[in-house]
Amino acid sequence: MKRIQIILCLSILASSIMMGQACLPGTTIFSTQGQIDSFAINHPGCTQVLGNVGIQESIPGTITNLNGFNPITEIDGFFNVFCNESLPNLSGLENVTLISGGIDITKNPSLNSLSALSNITEHFGLVAIINNASLVNLNGFENVEIAHGTVHIASNSNLTDISALSSLEYVANSLELVGLTALTDLTGLSSLDSVGFDLFIKGNYELENLEGLNNLKSTGRLEILGNFALNDITALSNLKSLKGELYIQNNFTLPSLSGLDNLDPNSLDFLFIQTCNNLSYCHVQSICDYLDAGGDHFIEFNENGCQSSEEILSWCDSIGTAVMDLSHYVELYPNPTSSNIQIVSESNLNVRYELSDATGQLLQKGIGNTIDLSVYTNGVYFVKLSANEQTWVERIVKK
C-alpha cells in the first residue's frame, strides 16, 4: 500500500512538472551566463514567471545568450534587458507568448535581432527599445496588433526598417519615435489607426516624409520636432482628431502643412509652429479655421507666409480661390545625381533656387532650369525653391 502511495505521489509530481509551474514572484536579476543556463535546474518545471525579470551582466561581455530561458512561456511582471555588451539576440524566448508588465531593451550594443519575441501578439505594458546600436529592424513584433501601454523606440542609430510594426493598429498610451537617425520613412506603421495619448516624432534626422501614417485617424498631442530632412507631411491627410496640442518645430526643410487639411480644428487645444525656416504654406483649412476662431497659439521664426497668425490668416482667403501648393508641381531630376539637377515644372513656372550644403552654407543661387553640382563633393544638399510668392526646400543627393 505504501509503495502504491509513493508511486501515486511521484506520478502527481511528474504531472505537475509537465503541466508547468509558476516561480519567481518578486524581482530577479540575472547577472551571469551561469544563472541563465541553470534556470531549468534551479526552477524545475517553471514556465510562468510571476514577477519582474532583469538581464544585466555584472562583468561586461559575459552574457551571450538567453537559451536557458527556453522553458518560459509567460512573464507576468516586467522584462528588462539592460547593458549587455555582447548579447546578439534574444534566442531562448521563442516560447514566450505574454509579457504582462512590459519590456525594456536598452543599451545592448551588439543586439541585432528581436525575432525571438515573434510569438507575442499583444503588449500590455511599456515597450521600450532604446539605444541598441546594432539593431537595424524590429522583426519580432510582426504579430502585435494592440499595444496597451506606451511604445517608445529611441536612439537606435542604425534602425532603418520598422516594417515589423505593420500589424499594429492601436497604441493605447503614447507612441514615441525619437532619435532614429537612420530612419527615412514610417512605412511600417501602415495599419496604425489611432494613438490614445501622445504621438512624438522627434530628432529623426533622415526622415523625409511621414509615409506610413496614411491611415492614422486620431491621436492625442502630436509633436513633430527636429526632423531636419522632413519635407512632406501629406501622409497625415486622414488625421481627423488630435485631442490635444500640435507642435511643429525645428523641421528646417518642411515647406508646407499640407496633410493637416482635414483635421478638426475643434480638437486642437494649442498650436505651436516655430523655427521651421522654410515653412511658407501654413494656410491649410484646419489651421485657418482654428486661428480664425481665436485658438491659442505661438507662431514665429518660420518663412514668409507662416511668420505669425496674422500672416497666415491673410493667406487663408486664398483657399477658396484654389491657390496651388507649388511644391507638388516642381520636380528636381535626377535625384540622386552625379552631376547636374534639372528643375522641371509642370506649369512652366519661373523658379528661383538657392543651393546649400548640409551645414546650411549657401553655395549658389539663380534662376533657371539647371543646377550644376559637378564641382561639389558627394553628399546631401538642400535646394530652396521660390515661385509665385511660395518657398519650399527639397533634399538632393550627389553620389
Side-chain angles (χ1 to χ4, degrees):
M1 180 62 135
K2 188 176 292 187
R3 181 186 179 92
I4 293 174
Q5 289 177 335
I6 292 173
I7 293 173
L8 182 60
C9 287
L10 289 173
S11 175
I12 293 172
L13 176 61
S15 175
S16 175
I17 291 174
M18 289 178 64
M19 290 176 61
Q21 299 177 0
C23 65
L24 302 177
T27 296
T28 305
I29 305 297
F30 293 84
S31 59
T32 70
Q33 186 66 56
Q35 291 172 338
I36 296 170
D37 294 341
S38 60
F39 176 82
I41 297 172
N42 295 334
H43 308 283
C46 180
T47 59
Q48 179 187 9
V49 175
L50 297 175
N52 304 314
V53 173
I55 313 298
Q56 184 175 357
E57 59 192 13
S58 56
I59 300 175
T62 54
I63 291 183
T64 58
N65 70 80
L66 305 182
N67 294 334
F69 292 144
N70 191 259
I72 299 175
T73 60
E74 180 178 330
I75 298 173
D76 293 344
F78 197 83
F79 184 67
N80 179 280
V81 184
F82 181 72
C83 283
N84 300 285
E85 190 173 282
S86 300
L87 184 68
N89 55 58
L90 303 181
S91 293
L93 300 179
E94 287 85 355
N95 293 320
V96 176
T97 58
L98 176 66
I99 299 178
S100 298
I103 183 167
D104 184 353
I105 302 172
T106 297
K107 292 185 178 179
N108 304 284
S110 299
L111 187 69
N112 57 49
S113 175
L114 306 176
S115 59
L117 301 176
S118 59
N119 284 318
I120 298 175
T121 59
E122 204 166 352
H123 280 285
F124 288 89
L126 169 71
V127 176
I129 314 294
I130 305 170
N131 198 8
N132 303 288
S134 298
L135 196 64
V136 297
N137 61 57
L138 298 178
N139 294 352
F141 286 85
E142 295 90 344
N143 298 313
V144 177
E145 297 181 1
I146 298 174
H148 294 274
T150 289
V151 177
H152 182 65
I153 304 172
S155 302
N156 302 292
S157 57
N158 287 297
L159 184 67
T160 57
D161 180 4
I162 61 171
S163 60
L165 299 177
S166 60
S167 296
L168 184 64
E169 298 177 2
Y170 174 61
V171 178
N173 205 310
S174 298
L175 174 59
E176 303 169 3
L177 305 171
V178 179
L180 304 176
T181 54
L183 193 67
T184 59
D185 61 56
L186 306 178
T187 51
L189 295 171
S190 57
S191 296
L192 187 65
D193 178 85
S194 59
V195 177
F197 286 88
D198 303 329
L199 174 56
F200 294 158
I201 303 171
K202 299 181 181 181
N204 306 298
Y205 300 151
E206 295 294 321
L207 186 66
E208 298 179 5
N209 58 63
L210 301 184
E211 290 301 315
L213 295 179
N214 309 69
N215 291 312
L216 181 68
K217 297 179 179 64
S218 68
T219 182
R221 182 168 66 172
L222 174 60
E223 294 190 7
I224 305 174
L225 310 180
N227 306 288
F228 299 158
L230 185 67
N231 57 52
D232 188 342
I233 62 171
T234 55
L236 295 176
S237 59
N238 283 315
L239 182 63
K240 303 295 194 301
S241 174
L242 256 183
K243 299 180 292 186
E245 303 166 346
L246 173 61
Y247 285 79
I248 300 176
Q249 183 182 22
N250 293 343
N251 304 292
F252 299 142
T253 63
L254 183 66
S256 169
L257 296 186
S258 292
L260 297 176
D261 314 67
N262 298 314
L263 182 65
D264 180 0
N266 296 316
S267 70
L268 274 174
D269 292 336
F270 181 71
L271 175 64
F272 186 98
I273 308 174
Q274 184 188 50
T275 323
C276 295
N277 300 14
N278 291 289
L279 183 61
S280 62
Y281 192 94
C282 289
H283 50 285
V284 296
Q285 189 68 59
S286 59
I287 302 301
C288 288
D289 291 347
Y290 177 80
L291 294 175
D292 191 51
D296 195 12
H297 64 274
F298 185 86
I299 301 171
E300 67 174 9
F301 302 138
N302 307 301
E303 180 59 276
N304 292 333
C306 296
Q307 293 279 20
S308 66
S309 59
E310 293 79 13
E311 194 171 53
I312 295 171
L313 285 170
S314 71
W315 281 91
C316 285
D317 290 339
S318 67
I319 293 177
T321 58
V323 171
M324 298 185 299
D325 181 354
L326 297 180
S327 64
H328 298 304
Y329 294 88
V330 177
E331 181 182 5
L332 298 181
Y333 179 84
N335 187 16
T337 184
S338 59
S339 55
N340 294 338
I341 286 281
Q342 300 297 319
I343 302 175
V344 181
S345 169
E346 293 183 15
S347 303
N348 295 318
L349 296 170
N350 189 22
V351 181
R352 182 183 298 275
Y353 71 85
E354 295 181 7
L355 177 70
S356 301
D357 63 18
T359 68
Q361 180 181 357
L362 179 64
L363 301 176
Q364 61 172 281
K365 61 181 180 179
I367 300 176
N369 298 321
T370 303
I371 304 175
D372 183 6
L373 298 179
S374 60
V375 297
Y376 304 119
T377 59
N378 293 349
V380 175
Y381 295 87
F382 294 97
V383 181
K384 181 178 179 180
L385 300 168
S386 302
N388 290 8
E389 298 185 339
Q390 293 186 34
T391 302
W392 66 99
V393 172
E394 300 287 353
R395 179 178 182 269
I396 59 177
V397 177
K398 182 188 177 187
K399 64 178 185 177

